[in-house]
Amino acid sequence: MPFGQIVVGPPGSGKTTYCRGMKEFLASLGRKVAVVNLDPANESLPYEPDIDINELINLEDVMARLKLGPNGALMYCMEFLQENVSWLSDRLAEFKDTYFLFDFPGQVELYTHHASVSFILEDLQKRDYQLVAVHLVDAHYCTDPGKFIAVVLTSLNTMLQLALPHINVLSKIDLIEKMGKLAFGLEYYTEVMDLSYLLDHLRNDP
């Protein structure tokens, strides 16, 4: 029974850095780990992927052949992966007794209303993969009440769409003091306490 993490989040939230660090951490514990890069736009990886979507389809080729922009081409790549999900399952089957880290693209619409990622995850679960979603969000959103509420709603939508056990992670927390002043203590944001407390700050937000 394979286990794995589905690592998602907006562009620049640190998904790829997280996958590298998590792989190093698990490897230090003696676990067999494989990182699966499913982001065709991820050109400079800080790790060597064990499985790479670019083996199946390349973003730049799609952009050139179909005359699509980056976002449209990425959506096409994910739909192509959905149609060829057996390629992914076959590649995963090559790794025995391995913990998987799936590095997904950062386009939010893939996790809020587009169906391809949900289909891919459902297929993996049918093959008895036990998965958890790790949703990374840049901690600087905590300094802006409006953006923080938007991120909370996006996270909730993602939880509903992916239908997996879900962990929300504030990334780059070590830099938060340089990003601005928080209206409340950090625990307020990590526990997502009563959002009505932010109303006064929203009214005063230019």
Side-chain angles (χ1 to χ4, degrees):
M1 182 184 295
F3 291 82
Q5 298 180 26
I6 305 301
V7 183
V8 299
S13 58
K15 298 181 297 297
T16 297
T17 301
Y18 172 89
C19 286
R20 179 189 64 182
M22 182 57 69
K23 179 178 183 178
E24 293 174 354
F25 171 72
L26 292 172
S28 71
L29 298 177
R31 298 286 298 273
K32 291 176 62 177
V33 188
V35 182
V36 183
N37 175 43
L38 294 180
D39 184 358
N42 217 342
E43 297 178 348
S44 54
L45 292 169
Y47 59 79
E48 185 67 32
D50 299 280
I51 301 173
D52 193 341
I53 191 175
N54 288 288
E55 301 169 13
L56 177 69
I57 190 167
N58 182 272
L59 184 73
E60 292 185 359
D61 289 346
V62 171
M63 291 173 63
R65 181 161 47 88
L66 301 180
K67 309 300 181 186
L68 293 172
N71 283 344
L74 191 142
M75 302 295 271
Y76 179 90
C77 288
M78 298 311 293
E79 291 170 359
F80 189 83
L81 177 60
Q82 174 186 343
E83 293 299 320
N84 295 273
V85 70
S86 59
W87 169 84
L88 178 60
S89 61
D90 290 344
R91 291 287 283 113
L92 292 171
E94 298 172 11
F95 296 83
K96 304 299 182 184
D97 302 318
T98 300
Y99 191 91
F100 294 100
L101 300 169
F102 296 86
D103 191 356
F104 270 84
Q107 274 63 19
V108 174
E109 57 266 34
L110 288 172
Y111 317 108
T112 56
H113 58 273
H114 195 269
S116 289
V117 171
S118 294
F119 178 91
I120 293 165
L121 299 182
E122 287 174 8
D123 183 83
L124 291 176
Q125 290 179 94
K126 289 176 182 176
R127 300 174 191 273
D128 214 21
Y129 283 78
Q130 304 299 305
L131 304 172
V132 60
V134 179
H135 186 209
L136 273 68
V137 174
D138 199 313
H140 80 80
Y141 289 118
C142 296
T143 64
D144 185 313
K147 290 181 179 178
F148 177 72
I149 291 175
V151 161
V152 169
L153 293 174
T154 301
S155 297
L156 178 59
N157 199 340
T158 301
M159 292 171 69
L160 295 172
Q161 181 81 356
L162 299 186
L164 290 174
H166 193 103
I167 299 173
N168 291 307
V169 177
L170 287 175
S171 62
K172 306 177 188 176
I173 198 71
D174 54 320
L175 303 176
I176 196 168
E177 292 182 354
K178 299 179 181 179
M179 298 172 183
K181 186 178 180 181
L182 297 179
F184 302 101
L186 186 59
E187 184 180 358
Y188 173 86
Y189 301 93
T190 58
E191 299 295 329
V192 192
M193 296 180 180
D194 191 344
L195 295 180
S196 65
Y197 290 121
L198 289 175
L199 289 178
D200 288 338
H201 297 275
L202 281 172
R203 296 188 187 103
N204 298 328
D205 190 352

